[in-house]
Amino acid sequence: MRDWGWLGILMMGIAGGVFAQEAEMTKLPIPQTEGGMPLMQALKQRHSTREFSPQAPPPQVLSDLLWAAAGVNRSATGQRTAPTARDWREIDVYVAMADGTYRFEPDSHALRRVLPRDIRALTGTQDFVAQAPVNLVYVANLDRMRDTTAEHQHLYSATDTGFIAQNVYLYCASAGLATVVRGSIDRETLATALGLGPSQRIILAQSVGYPLVGRR
Ligand SMILES: Cc1cc2nc3c(=O)[nH]c(=O)nc-3n(C[C@H](O)[C@H](O)[C@H](O)COP(=O)(O)O)c2cc1C
């Protein structure tokens, strides 16, 4: 278990030996869900950027980014900022950063560490992905898409990912961050690195960071 230094210690999922192997969890700061840029202005600003400053976003920005992407916006039901077909909530957001690789847990608004190492370079085939401080990887868990056809699993996991990616685009526009959604991924290599199972499919990735000075 770890914290952000200033956040304090939060014990999660540790109940003696039974859960000793449970992955390390990092509670994110409470997301700031007020303010931001007016929506029409954010839509005007939305664009793709492929050059990133190496500066990592601070924990509050990471928290707000992930909440915008797929956080819980109705605590009574656990439903999210992005819609999902039949409320399957099948897209997991993996977060590849310099200090390791995590999976966003919307219900607890926490990061679960899945790998202790930097696999940013494996999240896409373009050179800039290794420098972007945050690479989100959108992974569909087909086991959650019950009572449907394989065709609909493909269709809806792709559309549901699109909503998340657009939420990220709009948050980035509002927060002055740079981003680009990406389909150019060696999915087999990345799935192996992430330790994904047979029911998990990488749909897209999205790089996020600050723009290089003088660029947007
Ligand atoms: C499904 C999808 C896949 C994309 N894949 C890539 C990619 O692999 N690499 C990349 O640099 N941009 C990728 N893009 C970004 C597009 O190139 C970009 O949105 C387009 O050029 C329009 O630019 P704009 O986003 O600034 O409007 C992708 C966009 C979408 C929607």
Side-chain angles (χ1 to χ4, degrees):
M1 168 111 103
R2 78 171 220 188
D3 58 23
W4 292 110
W6 45 270
L7 190 64
I9 301 296
L10 237 166
M11 300 304 290
M12 298 184 70
I14 298 172
V18 178
F19 298 113
Q21 289 179 18
E22 188 153 79
E24 195 176 304
M25 295 278 279
T26 302
K27 188 84 178 151
L28 289 158
I30 294 167
Q32 287 176 354
T33 58
E34 303 291 329
M37 188 181 271
L39 176 63
M40 297 307 262
Q41 211 176 319
L43 285 165
K44 225 171 144 183
Q45 299 280 341
R46 187 219 64 82
H47 65 281
S48 298
T49 301
R50 296 173 185 80
E51 290 175 300
F52 297 88
S53 152
Q55 182 197 348
Q60 185 66 57
V61 172
L62 187 62
S63 169
D64 297 351
L65 168 73
L66 292 169
W67 184 81
V72 172
N73 69 356
R74 284 151 291 169
S75 56
T77 59
Q79 286 168 300
R80 311 273 173 85
T81 53
T84 69
R86 291 177 58 182
D87 202 17
W88 274 317
R89 306 177 202 177
E90 78 280 10
I91 306 299
D92 287 320
V93 180
Y94 285 72
V95 187
M97 298 189 286
D99 72 343
T101 306
Y102 303 83
R103 194 175 68 223
F104 176 50
E105 304 282 343
D107 292 336
S108 51
H109 200 66
L111 289 177
R112 177 186 297 275
R113 193 163 77 164
V114 294
L115 289 173
R117 57 180 214 280
D118 181 1
I119 60 153
R120 287 177 297 165
L122 300 180
T123 67
T125 58
Q126 292 159 285
D127 289 344
F128 66 80
V129 304
Q131 276 88 49
V134 178
N135 284 288
L136 306 176
V137 182
Y138 303 127
V139 178
N141 186 332
L142 305 186
D143 285 343
R144 292 184 210 140
M145 306 177 87
R146 296 180 197 287
D147 307 321
T148 192
T149 61
E151 187 189 348
H152 278 177
Q153 286 180 333
H154 286 294
L155 176 67
Y156 292 130
S157 59
T159 54
D160 292 348
T161 297
F163 292 114
I164 294 173
Q166 180 70 347
N167 282 2
V168 168
Y169 264 112
L170 292 176
Y171 172 74
C172 288
S174 172
L177 292 166
T179 190
V180 60
V181 71
R182 299 183 282 98
S184 302
I185 304 165
D186 178 343
R187 287 178 173 75
E188 207 176 315
T189 302
L190 181 55
T192 302
L194 288 171
L196 300 184
S199 310
Q200 291 178 289
R201 300 279 153 75
I202 295 168
I203 310 294
L204 293 171
Q206 188 160 9
S207 301
V208 179
Y210 291 101
L212 278 179
V213 176
R215 310 283 175 85
R216 72 173 209 126

